[in-house]
Amino acid sequence: MGFLRKLLVIGIIAAVLLALAAFDYIRAQDTQIELVSISPENVTADPNQPVIITLKVTKHGQLAAGDVVSALVKGQGSLSGDKVKVAEDGTVTFKYYPYSYIPGVFEESDVTIEFRNISDSVFIAIQKKVPVTFHVSKPDSANGGMNMGDLFGD
C-alpha cells in the first residue's frame, strides 16, 4: 500500500511539472523576434569595427517593452552584453565584435547569434530560440587582420 501511494505522489508531481513546462512552452511560442537591421551590412573580421544588430520584439501581437532579450554567439566573436532590455518602441540593440582575421586559424565564416526573450518563462526556463546568421568576411589587407607572425614573431 505504501509503495502505491509513493508512486501516486511521484506521478502527480511529474504531471504538475509537465503541465508547468507545457504552459511555458506555449507562452514562448507567442513571442516574435525579428531582425530589423545589421549595420554595417558587410561584416568584416575586425574587432575594431563593431556590428550593431537591431531586433523588434513582440508578444501576443504587442510590443514587448520592458522584456529582457538574451543573446548567445555560436561561433567566433563576442557581444558587448548578453542581456538587453527591450525599449519602449519594441526594439533591442546588441553590439557584436567580430573576431580578428588570422589566416589558417580564424578565417571567413558564417556566425550565428541565438536570441531569446528570457522574460517569457514563468515556471521553467523554456524560451523560443531565434537565430540570426550573417557572413564575416576577410578584411582588406590595408585594414589589417593578423597573421601567425603577429602572434609568434618571425
Side-chain angles (χ1 to χ4, degrees):
M1 195 67 144
F3 176 73
L4 291 176
R5 185 172 289 167
K6 288 178 185 177
L7 196 57
L8 179 65
V9 169
I10 291 172
I12 291 171
I13 291 171
V16 168
L17 290 175
L18 184 61
L20 295 176
F23 175 82
D24 274 355
Y25 176 80
I26 292 168
R27 181 181 165 103
Q29 300 313 304
D30 207 20
T31 295
Q32 300 298 319
I33 299 175
E34 302 169 19
L35 177 65
V36 174
S37 67
I38 295 180
S39 178
E41 288 183 17
N42 297 320
V43 180
T44 305
D46 181 357
N48 296 319
Q49 296 180 10
V51 178
I52 305 300
I53 302 169
T54 304
L55 308 165
K56 181 178 179 183
V57 184
T58 58
K59 188 168 25 177
H60 313 296
Q62 304 294 321
L63 299 177
D67 282 9
V68 177
V69 174
S70 72
L72 176 65
V73 178
K74 301 281 191 159
Q76 303 301 322
S78 61
L79 296 164
S80 61
D82 66 341
K83 293 180 184 75
V84 178
K85 191 173 185 179
V86 178
E88 291 298 318
D89 63 356
T91 61
V92 63
T93 302
F94 287 87
K95 189 180 284 189
Y96 168 75
Y97 293 94
Y99 51 89
S100 292
Y101 180 83
I102 303 173
V105 181
F106 299 123
E107 299 200 2
E108 288 189 39
S109 68
D110 288 336
V111 171
T112 299
I113 302 177
E114 282 184 356
F115 297 96
R116 303 174 190 202
N117 183 345
I118 60 174
S119 300
D120 277 345
S121 296
V122 176
F123 302 108
I124 299 173
I126 297 175
Q127 296 108 14
K128 182 178 178 181
K129 299 176 189 175
V130 178
V132 172
T133 301
F134 51 90
H135 186 74
V136 179
S137 54
K138 177 180 176 181
D140 298 335
S141 58
N143 289 340
M146 297 178 71
N147 61 40
M148 296 304 272
D150 293 335
L151 294 176
F152 301 109
D154 290 325

